[in-house]
Amino acid sequence: MAALPSSSSSSPKRPYSGDSFLAGAARVSSERYPMDRVLESLLSLPDPSVSLDLSLERILDSAAAEVEKDQLIDSAMRVASAIVESAMRAARRRASIHNGSCWPLPSDLTVKVFSMLDTRSLCHVAAACSMFSKCAGDPLCYTNIDLTTKEPKINNAVVSTMIQRAGKNLQSLKLGIWPCQATTEELSQSLLYSSRNTIEASGIQSSVRKSRQWKESCMLTRSCLSGLSADGGFAGALLKRLHLYNIDKMDGFALSAALSVCKSLLDLEVLGICMELRQIFESVSRNCHSIKRLSIESSETGRDDTLKSLTCLDLVNGCPHIASLALKGFKLNDHKARILVRGLVNLNLVDFSTSYSITGTFLRNLGSSSNAQSLEVLILRDCLHLKVVEIARFLSAVISGDFRLLKHLDISNKDGLSAEEDWNIRCYSPSIPITRALEERPDLCILADFPLDGCDQETSSSSSLQIEDSQLFSPDYSSTSDSSYGSGLSSGNEDLYDGNYAFYDGDSIEDLEYQLIY
């Protein structure tokens, strides 16, 4: 049997890769050892401030040139700064190791807990330690981003960073300066009518969100939403909720660009932003076909009259799932309101507060439509041209059995209701059948807050507006009314042919032409 070749005659053995590593580690250890000895001697000083001071003075005295002394002082400062930074890093590492060993939750559960925090608290947690910072950087923690503040503190860079961290997990985004809350003096005392008693309800308001009278401009600009459309709209693809408050530099084109990538949007709220309602409607109806809640409040009450009837129809056809619609502070007339309310069959909340041109005629015959059966909340607060007679007719429809799901009605008006023949004649104490309605519908909440001052002055002018319950349901009154709420026999064009109603938004010709073909 042939002997095996000896190791000396064989090819040279390939060196183990770990040998070089150990050799390098040994060299590093031998090189760092003198520095360790120096640092240990410094740390072992009983009173380092005095010892180091005397030693530095002796070294400086031994230097001959002034330039050399300056260099020695700079070197001492650099060494001292490096020691301080090294000590701080070591402290953070030890704290992180301690937190990791003491923290009872694994990283995945920690991320789950952090994802339940609001954005401000999440930022505070991330600054606590490196372990928390790593967990707080997980995209799941940025599913719901809320960067609303009372003062302008957030800029575009912060928003872009947050959106980038969230990535495809982003579902909710709230930006801007939150509107100031109304003070107690600004809120008038409201009366909540019930079937049992009358109680004060100053805390119940149709909307506590007032357009913010800000002293400082918002730091966010029109490009604050550009992160949603970056990388082909990756971040905005699954966004469900978008709320924007008082971003004065935002315009319709920037918002349209952002909405173009938000195909899954369900909730859009825009408050105090200077852009046309028509632009918002066009963008929403074109891109957000699944939206269920739309709330828009004008920054300039009563000035935006850009909305057209065809635009309203496009919204009805493009966004049939809208269940909550709030349009506040716009020149929205009854014809356009009727298109929206009758066309959106899933509506359960309608809020047309501070709508300048609404008289209430859009409510006629609404009780006979299918979507009226699902209406739960109707808010017509502070509508300047809202008429007493239209509210009386609406309540008569409620008493007759229409609007069975209606739970909340707000007809409060700080200027009083309008007379039938002249809206300049205000009624501060209208006799409308609230008591009768509550007797028939004890589950219904009616807010009817009208100013008490001016009642004595307006007694003569508003006396003709007192509509008693018996008069409201008499055959004579029903026959003289030009429309019935529940009959369904009317064509729905009353707001166009009512001689006492005037269009205030300059769209009467278009409305008339459209109504003839609708």
Side-chain angles (χ1 to χ4, degrees):
M1 182 174 181
L4 294 174
S6 62
S7 59
S8 58
S9 61
S10 62
S11 59
K13 182 180 179 180
R14 186 170 55 186
Y16 174 56
S17 59
D19 294 342
S20 60
F21 173 79
L22 294 175
R27 287 195 301 272
V28 173
S29 176
S30 62
E31 291 172 359
R32 293 185 59 185
Y33 182 75
M35 179 59 66
D36 296 344
R37 295 288 300 271
V38 171
L39 188 58
E40 286 177 358
S41 63
L42 289 176
L43 298 179
S44 62
L45 293 175
D47 190 359
S49 60
V50 176
S51 301
L52 292 176
D53 186 49
L54 294 176
S55 179
L56 182 61
E57 287 293 336
R58 288 193 294 268
I59 295 174
L60 291 176
D61 292 340
S62 64
E66 293 295 327
V67 176
E68 186 179 356
K69 293 181 180 181
D70 293 338
Q71 292 177 349
L72 289 172
I73 293 176
D74 292 340
S75 299
M77 295 179 66
R78 287 197 303 270
V79 170
S81 177
I83 293 176
V84 171
E85 291 179 0
S86 298
M88 294 178 64
R89 285 194 296 268
R92 288 195 295 267
R93 284 195 297 268
R94 287 179 56 82
S96 179
I97 294 173
H98 174 74
N99 291 341
S101 61
C102 297
W103 183 249
L105 299 179
S107 59
D108 55 342
L109 289 181
T110 302
V111 171
K112 181 66 175 178
V113 172
F114 287 176
S115 66
M116 300 177 184
L117 299 176
D118 60 90
T119 308
R120 183 185 298 273
S121 301
L122 184 65
C123 294
H124 292 165
V125 166
C129 68
S130 58
M131 187 195 76
F132 279 10
S133 177
K134 182 179 180 180
C135 294
D138 193 281
L140 292 177
C141 296
Y142 298 89
T143 300
N144 302 303
I145 299 176
D146 186 352
L147 295 176
T148 54
T149 59
K150 294 183 179 179
E151 299 295 334
K153 298 179 181 179
I154 307 299
N155 57 26
N156 293 359
V158 175
V159 177
S160 298
T161 301
M162 293 288 182
I163 294 177
Q164 185 178 7
R165 289 180 181 179
K168 66 178 181 180
N169 296 285
L170 183 61
Q171 293 187 10
S172 175
L173 179 61
K174 299 180 180 180
L175 302 177
I177 305 176
W178 187 250
C180 297
Q181 297 291 333
T183 61
T184 305
E185 292 77 10
E186 292 172 340
L187 294 176
S188 58
Q189 295 293 324
S190 299
L191 292 179
L192 176 59
Y193 293 92
S194 69
S195 57
R196 292 186 292 253
N197 56 6
T198 303
I199 60 175
E200 291 185 354
S202 58
I204 302 178
Q205 298 294 326
S206 63
S207 174
V208 296
R209 301 174 184 177
K210 292 187 173 182
S211 297
R212 185 180 186 272
Q213 303 298 324
W214 54 85
K215 297 181 180 180
E216 300 179 72
S217 177
C218 182
M219 297 176 65
L220 297 174
T221 65
R222 65 188 305 273
S223 61
C224 64
L225 298 176
S226 58
L228 295 176
S229 54
D231 299 327
F234 182 71
L238 299 179
L239 185 66
K240 299 293 191 299
R241 182 184 298 110
L242 178 61
H243 291 186
L244 305 174
Y245 304 110
N246 298 306
I247 306 178
D248 52 331
K249 298 182 181 67
M250 176 67 67
D251 56 31
F253 297 103
L255 181 60
S256 299
L259 293 179
S260 64
V261 298
C262 300
K263 304 297 184 180
S264 303
L265 195 66
L266 300 178
D267 181 358
L268 175 62
E269 182 170 346
V270 180
L271 187 150
I273 296 179
C274 299
M275 61 181 64
E276 296 180 352
L277 180 61
R278 176 184 56 82
Q279 276 187 304
I280 300 177
F281 268 36
E282 290 175 349
S283 299
V284 171
S285 59
R286 184 168 54 248
N287 302 297
C288 309
H289 302 298
S290 301
I291 192 168
K292 294 183 177 180
R293 178 178 180 268
L294 181 60
S295 178
I296 309 173
E297 183 169 346
S298 175
S299 59
E300 299 178 341
T301 302
R303 296 187 179 182
D304 188 347
D305 59 352
T306 59
L307 187 63
K308 305 299 181 183
S309 300
L310 291 176
T311 309
C312 295
L313 186 61
D314 290 339
L315 182 71
V316 169
N317 295 328
C319 306
H321 305 291
I322 293 180
S324 175
L325 179 65
L327 304 175
K328 308 173 190 177
F330 296 98
K331 276 191 173 182
L332 182 70
N333 63 37
D334 289 83
H335 175 66
K336 297 165 188 173
R338 175 181 284 120
I339 294 176
L340 295 172
V341 175
R342 295 181 70 94
L344 297 171
V345 296
N346 295 304
L347 272 181
N348 54 47
L349 185 148
V350 175
D351 186 356
F352 292 152
S353 298
T354 63
S355 294
Y356 180 78
S357 303
I358 281 183
T359 65
T361 56
F362 77 96
L363 296 171
R364 299 180 183 181
N365 302 313
L366 186 60
S368 60
S369 60
S370 59
N371 56 332
Q373 304 304 320
S374 62
L375 188 62
E376 299 179 10
V377 179
L378 177 61
I379 302 175
L380 300 174
R381 193 178 188 90
D382 292 332
C383 294
L384 184 62
H385 294 84
L386 188 62
K387 296 181 180 181
V388 175
V389 64
E390 299 301 338
I391 296 300
R393 289 168 178 162
F394 178 76
L395 288 176
S396 70
V398 172
I399 295 171
S400 301
D402 292 332
F403 308 98
R404 292 189 177 277
L405 295 181
L406 187 65
K407 304 296 182 183
H408 183 91
L409 173 64
D410 190 348
I411 54 173
S412 302
N413 201 309
K414 60 183 177 59
D415 297 313
L417 296 179
S418 170
E420 171 71 11
E421 63 278 1
D422 186 358
W423 69 271
N424 287 300
I425 301 178
R426 315 302 299 178
C427 178
Y428 296 96
S429 56
S431 180
I432 50 183
I434 293 179
T435 304
R436 177 74 179 278
L438 292 172
E439 289 175 354
E440 297 291 335
R441 295 281 301 278
D443 60 331
L444 177 60
C445 170
I446 301 179
L447 286 177
D449 174 35
F450 305 105
L452 296 178
D453 55 334
C455 288
D456 296 336
Q457 302 170 357
E458 298 290 338
T459 302
S460 59
S461 62
S462 63
S463 59
S464 60
L465 304 178
Q466 309 302 312
I467 305 175
E468 301 296 338
D469 290 357
S470 58
Q471 181 184 1
L472 180 67
F473 292 98
S474 65
D476 295 337
Y477 182 83
S478 300
S479 62
T480 56
S481 63
D482 52 7
S483 176
S484 171
Y485 274 73
S487 65
L489 299 177
S490 174
S491 63
N493 302 337
E494 294 84 355
D495 56 340
L496 294 172
Y497 302 110
D498 188 352
N500 296 323
Y501 175 78
F503 285 100
Y504 297 95
D505 61 352
D507 195 25
S508 57
I509 297 178
E510 179 209 9
D511 284 343
L512 181 56
E513 293 177 349
Y514 174 72
Q515 186 68 22
L516 293 176
I517 63 175
Y518 181 62

